[in-house]
Amino acid sequence: MVDDGARIRTARPGDDGVGVIAMLGGAENYLTVFLLRELANALHELAADPDCGAIVVRAEGKHFCAGRDWRTIRDPEDTAEAIYACAPQLIDVAKPWVAELTGGSIGVGLGVAMCADHRVAAETAYLWPKFVGIGIHHGFGLTATLTETVGRQRATELLSTGRKVSMLEAERIGLVDRVARLEDVSTASVEFAALLAAQPREALAAIRGTMRAPLLASFEDASRHERAAQERLYRSADFQSATDGGYRYTATGD
């Protein structure tokens, strides 16, 4: 496995009960299985901390997550199968987590953002379910998360057109919970998480159990279907052309 250094930085909760996870994937913060695993581990470690009531996840680069990098040869371990195996861990977190959105949440990056309990976004951010534009089926459980959030008709429209969604629209249709100026979004996300952390823990956990427990099963079912659909389309001319040949890997041991 290629070790490209630290991918995650975690700040333990302070008096406000909020833990913060920063993704350190550079400007684009492309998703790899290594980043995803570290993010999942950090979420679960903070959730197990009795001093933590809620978690904020942010990126230090330009984008929250620009999806997968189709221009770079991948490590052999960084497969779609590995991504899908890890993805449900972002749903099954014991404490609420807030995705702080800056720049783009693109493709699978939108999938990551939609796994959060809540989203607080900079007014300059955008969501881009661009799968169809590169000739591929959507993934990362968006069939479940996007549909649960905005309804089947709106989710189908967004996934079928692959258009960008501004924060003005995203807030209006319920894709994000709060919108703030870019310079204020870090404060806004922590304040929102602190509001959650301040609630009685047992009551909040019970509410989350009622509201989110069904999502895990639907997420896993949706992911299986999405993965199968993606595999059928990997060989299509549209996908091959849009991604310069699709998945490419380094030789084992390189």
Side-chain angles (χ1 to χ4, degrees), residues 118-199:
H118 303 282
R119 284 155 293 282
V120 175
E123 60 188 4
T124 53
Y126 60 90
L127 310 176
W128 193 4
K130 65 179 294 185
F131 301 90
V132 69
I134 63 169
I136 197 67
H137 193 283
H138 59 274
F140 214 87
L142 279 167
T143 302
T145 56
L146 196 58
T147 300
E148 176 162 299
T149 305
V150 298
R152 185 166 302 278
Q153 186 64 29
R154 178 71 71 179
T156 301
E157 183 266 327
L158 293 173
L159 294 168
S160 297
T161 61
R163 63 181 178 83
K164 288 184 181 180
V165 180
S166 70
M167 287 306 100
L168 181 65
E169 179 182 4
E171 187 175 31
R172 177 172 58 82
I173 66 177
L175 279 171
V176 299
D177 299 274
R178 302 282 192 277
V179 175
R181 295 184 303 174
L182 178 60
E183 58 267 33
D184 298 329
V185 70
S186 293
T187 299
S189 64
V190 170
E191 287 179 348
F192 186 88
L195 178 62
L196 296 169
Q199 306 310 311

Side-chain angles (χ1 to χ4, degrees), residues 7-189:
R7 303 174 182 90
I8 292 291
R9 184 177 64 247
T10 301
R12 313 306 298 184
D15 293 340
D16 60 3
V18 177
V20 178
I21 298 170
M23 297 183 288
L24 310 176
E28 309 300 321
N29 198 42
Y30 287 122
L31 188 72
T32 68
V33 70
F34 312 118
L35 174 63
L36 182 60
R37 286 170 179 166
E38 290 190 21
L39 174 59
N41 288 340
L43 280 166
H44 285 272
E45 286 176 8
L46 276 176
D49 186 338
D51 293 328
C52 183
I55 304 163
V56 170
V57 175
R58 60 171 59 122
E60 290 207 339
K62 176 182 177 182
H63 297 297
F64 177 76
C65 180
R68 294 285 263 166
D69 182 5
W70 297 105
R71 308 298 179 183
T72 302
I73 296 175
R74 304 174 191 275
D75 184 282
E77 194 176 336
D78 186 22
T79 64
E81 290 84 357
I83 291 281
Y84 275 90
C86 187
Q89 294 181 45
L90 301 193
I91 298 291
D92 191 22
V93 179
K95 303 280 176 66
W97 66 281
V98 177
E100 180 188 302
L101 305 183
T102 52
S105 298
I106 303 168
V108 71
L110 173 59
V112 173
M114 293 306 301
C115 287
D117 293 69
H118 303 282
R119 284 155 293 282
V120 175
E123 60 188 4
T124 53
Y126 60 90
L127 310 176
W128 193 4
K130 65 179 294 185
F131 301 90
V132 69
I134 63 169
I136 197 67
H137 193 283
H138 59 274
F140 214 87
L142 279 167
T143 302
T145 56
L146 196 58
T147 300
E148 176 162 299
T149 305
V150 298
R152 185 166 302 278
Q153 186 64 29
R154 178 71 71 179
T156 301
E157 183 266 327
L158 293 173
L159 294 168
S160 297
T161 61
R163 63 181 178 83
K164 288 184 181 180
V165 180
S166 70
M167 287 306 100
L168 181 65
E169 179 182 4
E171 187 175 31
R172 177 172 58 82
I173 66 177
L175 279 171
V176 299
D177 299 274
R178 302 282 192 277
V179 175
R181 295 184 303 174
L182 178 60
E183 58 267 33
D184 298 329
V185 70
S186 293
T187 299
S189 64

